[in-house]
Amino acid sequence: MTGRAAEPEVIWARPERTGRGPRPAYTRADIAAAAVRIADAEGLDAVSMRRVAAELGCGTMSLYNYVPRKEDLYELMVDAAGGEHELWEPRGDWRADMLRVAHQTRALMHRHPWLPRLMSPVYGFSPNALRYLEHCLACLDPLEAPYGTKLELVAMLNAVVTSFVANELATAERARSLPWSEEQENAMRGAYLGGRIATGAYPRMAAAFAEDPGPIDLEAVFERALGRVLDGFAPRR
């Protein structure tokens, strides 16, 4: 039942539940919500068909009537999280609207820290993903560019946000695991780095630190990264 099908299939093209019997006791939304609750509380690795079935109060084998593979469960989870995207009437300023999209996506990924691990173009055509993409294209109506270019812009902006958030989450997770404070860690590493730079073996790094000794303003870095992506798609004047 859990092996690979002879032909590929899309979970959204399947009926909500296969097999005979009484009216389905659960919807895909119920199943996705249960999986998301587990992942939010305990991380993605805690999500399994058995665990989700227990959360719903049904047998594991019964769950396969609704979701044939764990990969399908992941797709349901990504779609459920995507449903949290706020959609608004575009203001006619494509840069401002896409910046708003990017900030919203960042907040969404922080609410669901498992989400960056599952970001994949394979999941890009679920119901809520299509709703999101249509909204992004509406925001980009004022930009004079082919739709293929606009979709590339959306993909690149999402890639920047996903990479940035993944790094934020990994840094926070590492800090929680340290036997000392993050400030102590940074001070120790800063002292080591300063000592290496002082040897004169890294003149360009020495010049870089002399120019801007830090600390790094990560919020400003995030804004610049988004701006540079959008600048790359702005019409040439």
Side-chain angles (χ1 to χ4, degrees):
M1 182 175 294
T2 60
R4 290 187 178 276
E7 297 291 338
E9 59 182 6
V10 178
I11 184 66
W12 310 108
R14 291 171 56 92
E16 281 268 337
R17 180 184 182 276
T18 60
R20 299 177 179 178
R23 184 171 179 268
Y26 308 102
T27 65
R28 284 181 183 147
D30 296 330
I31 295 167
V36 167
R37 284 195 300 273
I38 294 167
D40 285 349
E42 302 176 43
L44 185 62
D45 292 338
V47 176
S48 67
M49 299 293 275
R50 183 184 299 276
R51 184 67 187 282
V52 173
E55 179 80 7
L56 291 169
C58 70
T60 304
M61 299 310 291
S62 297
L63 191 60
Y64 283 110
N65 287 322
Y66 300 87
V67 185
R69 304 180 307 155
K70 189 174 183 180
E71 290 79 5
D72 295 321
L73 181 62
Y74 286 159
E75 189 160 356
L76 294 181
M77 293 170 65
V78 172
D79 185 69
E84 297 177 24
H85 275 289
E86 175 195 358
L87 307 186
W88 61 88
E89 186 66 28
R91 297 184 295 181
D93 182 338
W94 66 269
R95 286 183 64 99
D97 279 327
M98 292 311 296
L99 284 172
R100 182 175 174 181
V101 167
H103 281 282
Q104 183 177 217
T105 301
R106 183 186 181 193
L108 175 64
M109 289 183 175
H110 275 285
R111 288 198 302 275
H112 303 294
W114 47 269
L115 192 53
R117 285 180 58 184
L118 293 184
M119 293 302 290
S120 166
V122 173
Y123 300 155
F125 302 101
S126 68
N128 282 320
L130 289 173
R131 175 172 160 267
Y132 164 80
L133 287 172
E134 183 68 19
H135 174 67
C136 288
L137 291 176
C139 291
L140 291 170
D141 274 344
L143 177 62
E144 295 183 6
Y147 279 115
T149 300
K150 293 178 180 181
L151 287 170
E152 184 179 330
L153 185 160
V154 174
M156 290 183 68
L157 206 63
N158 278 337
V160 168
V161 175
T162 301
S163 178
F164 197 89
V165 173
N167 184 64
E168 287 182 309
L169 295 172
T171 299
E173 179 63 28
R174 184 180 186 280
R176 285 192 291 271
S177 70
L178 292 173
W180 44 73
S181 72
E182 188 175 5
E183 291 75 17
Q184 289 175 304
E185 166 89 355
N186 291 337
M188 176 270 295
R189 291 189 176 276
Y192 169 79
L193 181 59
R196 298 306 301 157
I197 298 260
T199 65
Y202 311 98
R204 294 169 185 80
M205 289 294 295
F209 279 99
E211 183 179 284
D212 184 1
I216 298 172
D217 184 344
L218 292 178
E219 293 301 317
V221 170
F222 183 64
E223 294 295 337
R224 285 197 298 272
L226 298 179
R228 285 166 179 162
V229 170
L230 297 177
D231 287 345
F233 289 88
R236 304 293 182 185
R237 299 189 182 279

